[in-house]
Amino acid sequence: MQLPTYDDVIAAAARLEGHAHRTPVLRSQTADERWGARFFFKCENFQRMGAFKFRGAFNALSKFDAAQRKGGVIAFSSGNHAQAIALSARLLSMPAVIVMPKDAPAAKVAATQGYGAEVVTYDRFAEDREALTKRLAQERGMTMIPPYDHPDVLTGQGTAVKELIEETGPLDHLFVCLGGGGLLSGSALSARALAPDCKVYGVEPEAGNDGQQSLRAGKIVHIETPKTIADGAQTQHLGEYTFGIIRRDVDDIFTVTDEQLVEAMRFFAERMKIVVEPTGCLAFAGAIAAGKAIAGQRIGIVVSGGNVDLSRYAALLA
């Protein structure tokens, strides 16, 4: 298996030009003063469909040949990859089917259907979404694009940190949320190329620390579906491609509690006036938890998305 390189991230950036938003990098004087570091927030909650996932989805679909475009795309996702594939398919005029858990946030299901995709539901605690999606792909003659373990997906995601470092200059530490590893592995490719001395960290929910276990064990560790408010990080294992890059290029993986995620959400809402979903708070929560280790340093934070059901958002912050 050949791992993708930073050259693939550069190629992805060219495909995304004029299609993906170049999202803002926000600063917070309050955050800098409170935690004694200089924070640079790459706000992918302002990306098309509200999350970084658009980058990887559009990059992958834009490489389809004529036959694949005619057959269309199928994917499985708890929400953001679903919306990203659905929107990208609509922009590229191809049919899309998304396999989503029955308990996915209503707003994410509605948005996916709003982009024109057909939604097929399954029970995330009893059914194998990957097996179900592969079967449907075969039956319907569609091309399956997984949410993270795909070279074109992860290199598309890596364009966010490419933009971040191009704008800020070299960073001392980079914190990235970790579910299946698409964003973290792509980010690591960009960071290693553009800021070789930057320490790269993944942050995942305490309840679902399969990435941390995998890095320690030197092999992919599988876990049960974690129960956490970070629905975008309820993955059971890393991918072959993503783990290959993470194992080589990521310095460490940290975990945070749901309570720490809510605190980060509250800070974003109160002090920075931005809506960030729980999964999107992982990186910042991890950086805050690092405490004195980041003092006086230049810190990159990837805010991965802002797609959260507003009633749930209000309840979490209440």
PDB file of all heavy atoms in Angstrom, residues 235-267:
ATOM      1  N   THR A 235     -16.094   6.666  15.874  1.00  0.00           N
ATOM      2  CA  THR A 235     -15.525   5.620  15.029  1.00  0.00           C
ATOM      3  C   THR A 235     -14.978   4.492  15.902  1.00  0.00           C
ATOM      4  O   THR A 235     -14.627   4.703  17.059  1.00  0.00           O
ATOM      5  CB  THR A 235     -14.390   6.186  14.161  1.00  0.00           C
ATOM      6  OG1 THR A 235     -13.567   7.021  14.986  1.00  0.00           O
ATOM      7  CG2 THR A 235     -14.938   7.031  13.023  1.00  0.00           C
ATOM      8  N   GLN A 236     -14.895   3.305  15.318  1.00  0.00           N
ATOM      9  CA  GLN A 236     -14.441   2.134  16.073  1.00  0.00           C
ATOM     10  C   GLN A 236     -12.975   1.792  15.815  1.00  0.00           C
ATOM     11  O   GLN A 236     -12.376   1.038  16.558  1.00  0.00           O
ATOM     12  CB  GLN A 236     -15.317   0.931  15.725  1.00  0.00           C
ATOM     13  CG  GLN A 236     -16.756   1.086  16.186  1.00  0.00           C
ATOM     14  CD  GLN A 236     -17.616  -0.077  15.713  1.00  0.00           C
ATOM     15  OE1 GLN A 236     -17.943  -0.196  14.537  1.00  0.00           O
ATOM     16  NE2 GLN A 236     -17.951  -0.950  16.640  1.00  0.00           N
ATOM     17  N   HIS A 237     -12.417   2.370  14.760  1.00  0.00           N
ATOM     18  CA  HIS A 237     -11.008   2.090  14.440  1.00  0.00           C
ATOM     19  C   HIS A 237     -10.505   3.077  13.391  1.00  0.00           C
ATOM     20  O   HIS A 237     -11.293   3.683  12.662  1.00  0.00           O
ATOM     21  CB  HIS A 237     -10.845   0.652  13.918  1.00  0.00           C
ATOM     22  CG  HIS A 237     -11.668   0.360  12.697  1.00  0.00           C
ATOM     23  ND1 HIS A 237     -11.213   0.600  11.422  1.00  0.00           N
ATOM     24  CD2 HIS A 237     -12.930  -0.129  12.555  1.00  0.00           C
ATOM     25  CE1 HIS A 237     -12.147   0.265  10.546  1.00  0.00           C
ATOM     26  NE2 HIS A 237     -13.208  -0.180  11.215  1.00  0.00           N
ATOM     27  N   LEU A 238      -9.195   3.227  13.310  1.00  0.00           N
ATOM     28  CA  LEU A 238      -8.571   4.040  12.268  1.00  0.00           C
ATOM     29  C   LEU A 238      -8.540   3.248  10.967  1.00  0.00           C
ATOM     30  O   LEU A 238      -8.803   2.040  10.964  1.00  0.00           O
ATOM     31  CB  LEU A 238      -7.136   4.415  12.676  1.00  0.00           C
ATOM     32  CG  LEU A 238      -6.974   5.248  13.953  1.00  0.00           C
ATOM     33  CD1 LEU A 238      -5.498   5.427  14.277  1.00  0.00           C
ATOM     34  CD2 LEU A 238      -7.652   6.603  13.814  1.00  0.00           C
ATOM     35  N   GLY A 239      -8.207   3.913   9.866  1.00  0.00           N
ATOM     36  CA  GLY A 239      -8.085   3.229   8.583  1.00  0.00           C
ATOM     37  C   GLY A 239      -6.643   2.827   8.309  1.00  0.00           C
ATOM     38  O   GLY A 239      -5.725   3.293   8.986  1.00  0.00           O
ATOM     39  N   GLU A 240      -6.448   2.000   7.304  1.00  0.00           N
ATOM     40  CA  GLU A 240      -5.094   1.552   6.938  1.00  0.00           C
ATOM     41  C   GLU A 240      -4.244   2.740   6.457  1.00  0.00           C
ATOM     42  O   GLU A 240      -3.098   2.905   6.867  1.00  0.00           O
ATOM     43  CB  GLU A 240      -5.168   0.487   5.834  1.00  0.00           C
ATOM     44  CG  GLU A 240      -5.874  -0.805   6.243  1.00  0.00           C
ATOM     45  CD  GLU A 240      -5.072  -1.650   7.218  1.00  0.00           C
ATOM     46  OE1 GLU A 240      -3.843  -1.446   7.318  1.00  0.00           O
ATOM     47  OE2 GLU A 240      -5.687  -2.500   7.898  1.00  0.00           O
ATOM     48  N   TYR A 241      -4.826   3.558   5.577  1.00  0.00           N
ATOM     49  CA  TYR A 241      -4.092   4.725   5.074  1.00  0.00           C
ATOM     50  C   TYR A 241      -3.857   5.734   6.199  1.00  0.00           C
ATOM     51  O   TYR A 241      -2.746   6.249   6.372  1.00  0.00           O
ATOM     52  CB  TYR A 241      -4.859   5.422   3.937  1.00  0.00           C
ATOM     53  CG  TYR A 241      -4.847   4.669   2.632  1.00  0.00           C
ATOM     54  CD1 TYR A 241      -5.963   3.941   2.211  1.00  0.00           C
ATOM     55  CD2 TYR A 241      -3.729   4.710   1.802  1.00  0.00           C
ATOM     56  CE1 TYR A 241      -5.956   3.258   1.003  1.00  0.00           C
ATOM     57  CE2 TYR A 241      -3.717   4.029   0.582  1.00  0.00           C
ATOM     58  CZ  TYR A 241      -4.841   3.296   0.193  1.00  0.00           C
ATOM     59  OH  TYR A 241      -4.833   2.622  -1.004  1.00  0.00           O
ATOM     60  N   THR A 242      -4.936   6.031   6.938  1.00  0.00           N
ATOM     61  CA  THR A 242      -4.821   7.072   7.964  1.00  0.00           C
ATOM     62  C   THR A 242      -3.842   6.647   9.059  1.00  0.00           C
ATOM     63  O   THR A 242      -3.004   7.445   9.493  1.00  0.00           O
ATOM     64  CB  THR A 242      -6.196   7.440   8.559  1.00  0.00           C
ATOM     65  OG1 THR A 242      -6.791   6.301   9.192  1.00  0.00           O
ATOM     66  CG2 THR A 242      -7.135   7.968   7.485  1.00  0.00           C
ATOM     67  N   PHE A 243      -3.897   5.394   9.484  1.00  0.00           N
ATOM     68  CA  PHE A 243      -2.984   4.941  10.537  1.00  0.00           C
ATOM     69  C   PHE A 243      -1.535   4.934  10.049  1.00  0.00           C
ATOM     70  O   PHE A 243      -0.619   5.273  10.805  1.00  0.00           O
ATOM     71  CB  PHE A 243      -3.374   3.551  11.049  1.00  0.00           C
ATOM     72  CG  PHE A 243      -2.439   3.036  12.134  1.00  0.00           C
ATOM     73  CD1 PHE A 243      -2.333   3.710  13.347  1.00  0.00           C
ATOM     74  CD2 PHE A 243      -1.670   1.908  11.932  1.00  0.00           C
ATOM     75  CE1 PHE A 243      -1.471   3.253  14.336  1.00  0.00           C
ATOM     76  CE2 PHE A 243      -0.799   1.453  12.922  1.00  0.00           C
ATOM     77  CZ  PHE A 243      -0.704   2.130  14.129  1.00  0.00           C
ATOM     78  N   GLY A 244      -1.340   4.573   8.784  1.00  0.00           N
ATOM     79  CA  GLY A 244       0.016   4.558   8.232  1.00  0.00           C
ATOM     80  C   GLY A 244       0.690   5.922   8.350  1.00  0.00           C
ATOM     81  O   GLY A 244       1.866   6.029   8.727  1.00  0.00           O
ATOM     82  N   ILE A 245      -0.080   6.984   8.060  1.00  0.00           N
ATOM     83  CA  ILE A 245       0.466   8.341   8.148  1.00  0.00           C
ATOM     84  C   ILE A 245       0.555   8.804   9.603  1.00  0.00           C
ATOM     85  O   ILE A 245       1.556   9.392  10.015  1.00  0.00           O
ATOM     86  CB  ILE A 245      -0.387   9.322   7.316  1.00  0.00           C
ATOM     87  CG1 ILE A 245      -0.300   8.952   5.826  1.00  0.00           C
ATOM     88  CG2 ILE A 245       0.072  10.770   7.528  1.00  0.00           C
ATOM     89  CD1 ILE A 245      -1.304   9.665   4.949  1.00  0.00           C
ATOM     90  N   ILE A 246      -0.490   8.524  10.388  1.00  0.00           N
ATOM     91  CA  ILE A 246      -0.504   8.940  11.799  1.00  0.00           C
ATOM     92  C   ILE A 246       0.664   8.315  12.556  1.00  0.00           C
ATOM     93  O   ILE A 246       1.371   8.987  13.307  1.00  0.00           O
ATOM     94  CB  ILE A 246      -1.856   8.563  12.456  1.00  0.00           C
ATOM     95  CG1 ILE A 246      -2.967   9.473  11.915  1.00  0.00           C
ATOM     96  CG2 ILE A 246      -1.776   8.648  13.980  1.00  0.00           C
ATOM     97  CD1 ILE A 246      -4.377   9.036  12.254  1.00  0.00           C
ATOM     98  N   ARG A 247       0.890   7.040  12.324  1.00  0.00           N
ATOM     99  CA  ARG A 247       1.977   6.322  13.010  1.00  0.00           C
ATOM    100  C   ARG A 247       3.346   6.956  12.698  1.00  0.00           C
ATOM    101  O   ARG A 247       4.217   7.041  13.562  1.00  0.00           O
ATOM    102  CB  ARG A 247       1.952   4.854  12.568  1.00  0.00           C
ATOM    103  CG  ARG A 247       2.910   3.963  13.294  1.00  0.00           C
ATOM    104  CD  ARG A 247       2.786   2.542  12.771  1.00  0.00           C
ATOM    105  NE  ARG A 247       3.648   1.641  13.520  1.00  0.00           N
ATOM    106  CZ  ARG A 247       3.787   0.356  13.246  1.00  0.00           C
ATOM    107  NH1 ARG A 247       3.119  -0.195  12.244  1.00  0.00           N
ATOM    108  NH2 ARG A 247       4.578  -0.400  13.970  1.00  0.00           N
ATOM    109  N   ARG A 248       3.500   7.409  11.465  1.00  0.00           N
ATOM    110  CA  ARG A 248       4.771   7.982  11.025  1.00  0.00           C
ATOM    111  C   ARG A 248       4.920   9.461  11.395  1.00  0.00           C
ATOM    112  O   ARG A 248       6.004   9.900  11.775  1.00  0.00           O
ATOM    113  CB  ARG A 248       4.874   7.819   9.497  1.00  0.00           C
ATOM    114  CG  ARG A 248       6.185   8.308   8.878  1.00  0.00           C
ATOM    115  CD  ARG A 248       6.078   8.341   7.361  1.00  0.00           C
ATOM    116  NE  ARG A 248       5.165   9.385   6.901  1.00  0.00           N
ATOM    117  CZ  ARG A 248       4.633   9.431   5.682  1.00  0.00           C
ATOM    118  NH1 ARG A 248       4.900   8.472   4.801  1.00  0.00           N
ATOM    119  NH2 ARG A 248       3.821  10.423   5.339  1.00  0.00           N
ATOM    120  N   ASP A 249       3.834  10.238  11.281  1.00  0.00           N
ATOM    121  CA  ASP A 249       3.946  11.697  11.320  1.00  0.00           C
ATOM    122  C   ASP A 249       3.322  12.411  12.523  1.00  0.00           C
ATOM    123  O   ASP A 249       3.510  13.617  12.681  1.00  0.00           O
ATOM    124  CB  ASP A 249       3.326  12.302  10.043  1.00  0.00           C
ATOM    125  CG  ASP A 249       4.123  11.967   8.794  1.00  0.00           C
ATOM    126  OD1 ASP A 249       5.310  11.637   8.927  1.00  0.00           O
ATOM    127  OD2 ASP A 249       3.553  12.040   7.686  1.00  0.00           O
ATOM    128  N   VAL A 250       2.551  11.698  13.340  1.00  0.00           N
ATOM    129  CA  VAL A 250       1.874  12.356  14.471  1.00  0.00           C
ATOM    130  C   VAL A 250       2.658  12.112  15.758  1.00  0.00           C
ATOM    131  O   VAL A 250       3.084  10.991  16.036  1.00  0.00           O
ATOM    132  CB  VAL A 250       0.410  11.858  14.590  1.00  0.00           C
ATOM    133  CG1 VAL A 250      -0.235  12.331  15.889  1.00  0.00           C
ATOM    134  CG2 VAL A 250      -0.405  12.352  13.389  1.00  0.00           C
ATOM    135  N   ASP A 251       2.858  13.173  16.541  1.00  0.00           N
ATOM    136  CA  ASP A 251       3.678  13.087  17.750  1.00  0.00           C
ATOM    137  C   ASP A 251       2.970  12.402  18.913  1.00  0.00           C
ATOM    138  O   ASP A 251       3.595  11.644  19.660  1.00  0.00           O
ATOM    139  CB  ASP A 251       4.133  14.494  18.165  1.00  0.00           C
ATOM    140  CG  ASP A 251       5.124  15.071  17.162  1.00  0.00           C
ATOM    141  OD1 ASP A 251       6.304  14.683  17.214  1.00  0.00           O
ATOM    142  OD2 ASP A 251       4.708  15.867  16.300  1.00  0.00           O
ATOM    143  N   ASP A 252       1.675  12.678  19.079  1.00  0.00           N
ATOM    144  CA  ASP A 252       0.945  12.036  20.169  1.00  0.00           C
ATOM    145  C   ASP A 252      -0.551  12.205  19.949  1.00  0.00           C
ATOM    146  O   ASP A 252      -0.980  13.020  19.124  1.00  0.00           O
ATOM    147  CB  ASP A 252       1.345  12.645  21.526  1.00  0.00           C
ATOM    148  CG  ASP A 252       1.167  11.676  22.703  1.00  0.00           C
ATOM    149  OD1 ASP A 252       0.575  10.589  22.501  1.00  0.00           O
ATOM    150  OD2 ASP A 252       1.623  12.002  23.815  1.00  0.00           O
ATOM    151  N   ILE A 253      -1.328  11.425  20.716  1.00  0.00           N
ATOM    152  CA  ILE A 253      -2.788  11.522  20.668  1.00  0.00           C
ATOM    153  C   ILE A 253      -3.290  11.686  22.097  1.00  0.00           C
ATOM    154  O   ILE A 253      -2.917  10.916  22.990  1.00  0.00           O
ATOM    155  CB  ILE A 253      -3.420  10.278  19.999  1.00  0.00           C
ATOM    156  CG1 ILE A 253      -3.041  10.250  18.506  1.00  0.00           C
ATOM    157  CG2 ILE A 253      -4.937  10.297  20.153  1.00  0.00           C
ATOM    158  CD1 ILE A 253      -3.405   8.967  17.792  1.00  0.00           C
ATOM    159  N   PHE A 254      -4.117  12.719  22.303  1.00  0.00           N
ATOM    160  CA  PHE A 254      -4.678  13.009  23.624  1.00  0.00           C
ATOM    161  C   PHE A 254      -6.175  12.734  23.629  1.00  0.00           C
ATOM    162  O   PHE A 254      -6.795  12.637  22.562  1.00  0.00           O
ATOM    163  CB  PHE A 254      -4.428  14.481  24.005  1.00  0.00           C
ATOM    164  CG  PHE A 254      -2.986  14.883  23.953  1.00  0.00           C
ATOM    165  CD1 PHE A 254      -2.569  15.950  23.159  1.00  0.00           C
ATOM    166  CD2 PHE A 254      -2.030  14.217  24.700  1.00  0.00           C
ATOM    167  CE1 PHE A 254      -1.234  16.342  23.108  1.00  0.00           C
ATOM    168  CE2 PHE A 254      -0.690  14.595  24.669  1.00  0.00           C
ATOM    169  CZ  PHE A 254      -0.293  15.660  23.875  1.00  0.00           C
ATOM    170  N   THR A 255      -6.748  12.647  24.823  1.00  0.00           N
ATOM    171  CA  THR A 255      -8.196  12.483  24.932  1.00  0.00           C
ATOM    172  C   THR A 255      -8.777  13.570  25.830  1.00  0.00           C
ATOM    173  O   THR A 255      -8.081  14.117  26.690  1.00  0.00           O
ATOM    174  CB  THR A 255      -8.587  11.106  25.521  1.00  0.00           C
ATOM    175  OG1 THR A 255      -8.127  11.025  26.875  1.00  0.00           O
ATOM    176  CG2 THR A 255      -8.006   9.965  24.710  1.00  0.00           C
ATOM    177  N   VAL A 256     -10.052  13.877  25.610  1.00  0.00           N
ATOM    178  CA  VAL A 256     -10.778  14.829  26.457  1.00  0.00           C
ATOM    179  C   VAL A 256     -12.158  14.265  26.771  1.00  0.00           C
ATOM    180  O   VAL A 256     -12.673  13.419  26.044  1.00  0.00           O
ATOM    181  CB  VAL A 256     -10.919  16.221  25.778  1.00  0.00           C
ATOM    182  CG1 VAL A 256      -9.568  16.911  25.641  1.00  0.00           C
ATOM    183  CG2 VAL A 256     -11.606  16.114  24.424  1.00  0.00           C
ATOM    184  N   THR A 257     -12.741  14.756  27.865  1.00  0.00           N
ATOM    185  CA  THR A 257     -14.065  14.304  28.287  1.00  0.00           C
ATOM    186  C   THR A 257     -15.158  15.106  27.585  1.00  0.00           C
ATOM    187  O   THR A 257     -14.901  16.194  27.047  1.00  0.00           O
ATOM    188  CB  THR A 257     -14.241  14.474  29.799  1.00  0.00           C
ATOM    189  OG1 THR A 257     -14.174  15.887  30.097  1.00  0.00           O
ATOM    190  CG2 THR A 257     -13.140  13.737  30.581  1.00  0.00           C
ATOM    191  N   ASP A 258     -16.384  14.604  27.643  1.00  0.00           N
ATOM    192  CA  ASP A 258     -17.520  15.350  27.103  1.00  0.00           C
ATOM    193  C   ASP A 258     -17.678  16.694  27.819  1.00  0.00           C
ATOM    194  O   ASP A 258     -18.049  17.698  27.201  1.00  0.00           O
ATOM    195  CB  ASP A 258     -18.808  14.529  27.240  1.00  0.00           C
ATOM    196  CG  ASP A 258     -18.932  13.453  26.159  1.00  0.00           C
ATOM    197  OD1 ASP A 258     -18.012  13.334  25.322  1.00  0.00           O
ATOM    198  OD2 ASP A 258     -19.951  12.729  26.148  1.00  0.00           O
ATOM    199  N   GLU A 259     -17.380  16.720  29.115  1.00  0.00           N
ATOM    200  CA  GLU A 259     -17.479  17.972  29.889  1.00  0.00           C
ATOM    201  C   GLU A 259     -16.492  19.017  29.350  1.00  0.00           C
ATOM    202  O   GLU A 259     -16.823  20.195  29.241  1.00  0.00           O
ATOM    203  CB  GLU A 259     -17.200  17.712  31.381  1.00  0.00           C
ATOM    204  CG  GLU A 259     -18.283  16.922  32.105  1.00  0.00           C
ATOM    205  CD  GLU A 259     -18.320  15.446  31.721  1.00  0.00           C
ATOM    206  OE1 GLU A 259     -17.262  14.894  31.339  1.00  0.00           O
ATOM    207  OE2 GLU A 259     -19.410  14.841  31.797  1.00  0.00           O
ATOM    208  N   GLN A 260     -15.295  18.560  29.007  1.00  0.00           N
ATOM    209  CA  GLN A 260     -14.296  19.484  28.449  1.00  0.00           C
ATOM    210  C   GLN A 260     -14.740  20.002  27.075  1.00  0.00           C
ATOM    211  O   GLN A 260     -14.469  21.156  26.723  1.00  0.00           O
ATOM    212  CB  GLN A 260     -12.935  18.792  28.347  1.00  0.00           C
ATOM    213  CG  GLN A 260     -12.250  18.600  29.702  1.00  0.00           C
ATOM    214  CD  GLN A 260     -11.016  17.717  29.604  1.00  0.00           C
ATOM    215  OE1 GLN A 260     -11.101  16.543  29.220  1.00  0.00           O
ATOM    216  NE2 GLN A 260      -9.859  18.269  29.934  1.00  0.00           N
ATOM    217  N   LEU A 261     -15.429  19.161  26.319  1.00  0.00           N
ATOM    218  CA  LEU A 261     -15.946  19.595  25.013  1.00  0.00           C
ATOM    219  C   LEU A 261     -17.004  20.680  25.183  1.00  0.00           C
ATOM    220  O   LEU A 261     -17.027  21.663  24.437  1.00  0.00           O
ATOM    221  CB  LEU A 261     -16.540  18.403  24.243  1.00  0.00           C
ATOM    222  CG  LEU A 261     -15.555  17.342  23.767  1.00  0.00           C
ATOM    223  CD1 LEU A 261     -16.291  16.216  23.053  1.00  0.00           C
ATOM    224  CD2 LEU A 261     -14.502  17.946  22.840  1.00  0.00           C
ATOM    225  N   VAL A 262     -17.872  20.510  26.179  1.00  0.00           N
ATOM    226  CA  VAL A 262     -18.915  21.511  26.436  1.00  0.00           C
ATOM    227  C   VAL A 262     -18.287  22.841  26.845  1.00  0.00           C
ATOM    228  O   VAL A 262     -18.723  23.912  26.402  1.00  0.00           O
ATOM    229  CB  VAL A 262     -19.909  21.017  27.514  1.00  0.00           C
ATOM    230  CG1 VAL A 262     -20.868  22.140  27.926  1.00  0.00           C
ATOM    231  CG2 VAL A 262     -20.708  19.827  26.976  1.00  0.00           C
ATOM    232  N   GLU A 263     -17.225  22.792  27.655  1.00  0.00           N
ATOM    233  CA  GLU A 263     -16.525  24.025  28.059  1.00  0.00           C
ATOM    234  C   GLU A 263     -15.943  24.747  26.839  1.00  0.00           C
ATOM    235  O   GLU A 263     -16.015  25.982  26.738  1.00  0.00           O
ATOM    236  CB  GLU A 263     -15.415  23.708  29.072  1.00  0.00           C
ATOM    237  CG  GLU A 263     -15.928  23.473  30.491  1.00  0.00           C
ATOM    238  CD  GLU A 263     -16.845  24.597  30.979  1.00  0.00           C
ATOM    239  OE1 GLU A 263     -16.425  25.775  30.930  1.00  0.00           O
ATOM    240  OE2 GLU A 263     -17.996  24.304  31.383  1.00  0.00           O
ATOM    241  N   ALA A 264     -15.363  23.971  25.931  1.00  0.00           N
ATOM    242  CA  ALA A 264     -14.808  24.568  24.710  1.00  0.00           C
ATOM    243  C   ALA A 264     -15.918  25.165  23.845  1.00  0.00           C
ATOM    244  O   ALA A 264     -15.772  26.262  23.291  1.00  0.00           O
ATOM    245  CB  ALA A 264     -14.016  23.526  23.928  1.00  0.00           C
ATOM    246  N   MET A 265     -17.051  24.438  23.730  1.00  0.00           N
ATOM    247  CA  MET A 265     -18.205  24.941  22.972  1.00  0.00           C
ATOM    248  C   MET A 265     -18.666  26.280  23.538  1.00  0.00           C
ATOM    249  O   MET A 265     -18.969  27.222  22.797  1.00  0.00           O
ATOM    250  CB  MET A 265     -19.382  23.957  23.061  1.00  0.00           C
ATOM    251  CG  MET A 265     -19.344  22.803  22.101  1.00  0.00           C
ATOM    252  SD  MET A 265     -20.683  21.638  22.450  1.00  0.00           S
ATOM    253  CE  MET A 265     -22.068  22.524  21.776  1.00  0.00           C
ATOM    254  N   ARG A 266     -18.699  26.332  24.875  1.00  0.00           N
ATOM    255  CA  ARG A 266     -19.159  27.551  25.538  1.00  0.00           C
ATOM    256  C   ARG A 266     -18.205  28.709  25.264  1.00  0.00           C
ATOM    257  O   ARG A 266     -18.637  29.835  25.010  1.00  0.00           O
ATOM    258  CB  ARG A 266     -19.299  27.301  27.048  1.00  0.00           C
ATOM    259  CG  ARG A 266     -19.867  28.506  27.809  1.00  0.00           C
ATOM    260  CD  ARG A 266     -20.173  28.195  29.262  1.00  0.00           C
ATOM    261  NE  ARG A 266     -21.410  27.426  29.373  1.00  0.00           N
ATOM    262  CZ  ARG A 266     -21.478  26.168  29.797  1.00  0.00           C
ATOM    263  NH1 ARG A 266     -20.385  25.532  30.157  1.00  0.00           N
ATOM    264  NH2 ARG A 266     -22.637  25.548  29.866  1.00  0.00           N
ATOM    265  N   PHE A 267     -16.901  28.438  25.298  1.00  0.00           N
ATOM    266  CA  PHE A 267     -15.926  29.493  25.012  1.00  0.00           C
ATOM    267  C   PHE A 267     -16.114  30.027  23.588  1.00  0.00           C
ATOM    268  O   PHE A 267     -16.127  31.238  23.363  1.00  0.00           O
ATOM    269  CB  PHE A 267     -14.482  28.994  25.196  1.00  0.00           C
ATOM    270  CG  PHE A 267     -13.456  30.066  24.983  1.00  0.00           C
ATOM    271  CD1 PHE A 267     -13.065  30.890  26.026  1.00  0.00           C
ATOM    272  CD2 PHE A 267     -12.910  30.294  23.713  1.00  0.00           C
ATOM    273  CE1 PHE A 267     -12.139  31.922  25.824  1.00  0.00           C
ATOM    274  CE2 PHE A 267     -11.985  31.314  23.505  1.00  0.00           C
ATOM    275  CZ  PHE A 267     -11.610  32.133  24.567  1.00  0.00           C
TER     276      PHE A 267
END
